[in-house]
Amino acid sequence: SQTIHQWPATLVQPVGSPLSLECTVEGTSNPNLYWYRQAAGRGLQLLFYSVGIGQISSEVPQNLSASRPQDRQFILSSKKLLLSDSGFYLCAWSDPIRPHADLFGPGTRLTVL
Amino acid sequence: DQQVKQNSPSLSVQEGRISILNCDYTNSMFDYFLWYKKYPAEGPTFLISISSIKDKNEDGRFTVFLNKSAKHLSLHIVPSQPGDSAVYFCAASVSRNQGGKLIFGQGTELSVKP
């Protein structure tokens, strides 16, 4: 069975500091990978998705970036965090032939102060 | 531009009764719709889906109805149980070829009272 790991679970960072959130998937190969964010009182917003190593599509303009250095690893980064980056970040994967995210990770609660 | 909307942020239902969660969308290109359930401090889990070629899909206590002309879908839970208390998100997909991107609604928090 497939499992998805995210770390850290919670993170408190000062404004202007860098960010690196990591997501890894087990039990599958060549998955589609996604980063979502849930801001307070809002739905889940797709930030990035990737259909393969080194292939990243960005959905919204922002100061965040994503990278996929390995098939089952997806990283969300920022050089300088903003207050508005606070939220609940979720990694997800899906089978390439299926149209939706099958499994979300446990999420990272990011608070920028 | 909120393409998928869940206008009720919360819903309270008595155990054993029906829970009806609603979702509206604006993009007529959406061809696949899903419902996710989310407990606090956990990621969402897939619940049920429906393709635009259908108007109803049933899985146990959960049924999703799609009204394409009204651009509306709903999730019915019968009978409701206390363990169903969670936040429910509806989501829509434009195309299978776009990496499986989903557009989510804001969520409805369901509370089932014993």
Side-chain angles (χ1 to χ4, degrees):
Chain A
S1 64
Q2 297 81 21
T3 55
I4 185 166
H5 303 279
Q6 272 187 258
W7 61 92
T10 59
L11 189 61
V12 181
Q13 292 284 96
V15 169
S17 64
L19 173 73
S20 180
L21 301 181
E22 189 164 343
C23 168
T24 58
V25 183
E26 296 178 356
T28 185
S29 59
N30 196 30
N32 290 343
L33 296 173
Y34 312 84
W35 278 111
Y36 286 87
R37 176 173 62 198
Q38 183 183 15
R42 303 187 66 180
L44 295 164
Q45 181 186 36
L46 179 64
L47 302 175
F48 300 96
Y49 74 95
S50 171
V51 298
I53 295 174
Q55 300 179 60
I56 309 294
S57 295
S58 175
E59 291 299 300
V60 292
Q62 58 206 325
N63 68 319
L64 299 172
S65 62
S67 62
R68 185 169 177 177
Q70 300 180 41
D71 181 48
R72 288 169 287 178
Q73 184 184 31
F74 205 22
I75 297 172
L76 183 69
S77 304
S78 174
K79 293 182 179 179
K80 288 186 178 182
L81 284 168
L82 306 172
L83 286 174
S84 58
D85 291 324
S86 294
F88 192 52
Y89 288 83
L90 289 156
C91 180
W93 81 279
S94 71
D95 187 294
I97 64 172
R98 297 180 66 174
H100 60 273
D102 291 327
L103 184 63
F104 284 82
T108 295
R109 172 72 59 190
L110 172 65
T111 303
V112 183
L113 300 175
Chain B
D1 177 30
Q2 192 75 25
Q3 297 186 66
V4 179
K5 296 181 182 179
Q6 293 175 256
N7 293 316
S8 297
S10 63
L11 175 67
S12 183
V13 173
Q14 203 68 29
E15 180 180 5
R17 306 295 290 269
I18 184 172
S19 294
I20 300 176
L21 298 106
N22 294 302
C23 180
D24 298 294
Y25 62 95
T26 58
N27 190 340
S28 57
M29 297 298 292
F30 287 143
D31 56 9
Y32 204 77
F33 304 88
L34 309 94
W35 284 94
Y36 285 81
K37 178 179 179 180
K38 182 181 181 299
Y39 293 114
E42 294 183 9
T45 56
F46 171 73
L47 193 57
I48 192 170
S49 65
I50 188 167
S51 166
S52 60
I53 62 174
K54 295 185 176 181
D55 54 19
K56 177 183 175 182
N57 188 27
E58 190 172 353
D59 183 4
R61 296 185 297 114
F62 302 91
T63 303
V64 56
F65 294 92
L66 175 63
N67 183 334
K68 290 185 289 294
S69 61
K71 294 189 178 66
H72 177 84
L73 67 154
S74 60
L75 175 69
H76 292 210
I77 306 174
V78 182
S80 302
Q81 300 174 354
D84 296 329
S85 297
V87 177
Y88 289 79
F89 291 96
C90 68
S93 176
V94 174
S95 167
R96 290 174 177 251
N97 295 323
Q98 293 190 8
K101 294 186 295 182
L102 294 173
I103 310 298
F104 282 86
Q106 308 96 310
T108 296
E109 184 170 9
L110 173 66
S111 177
V112 180
K113 307 293 185 183

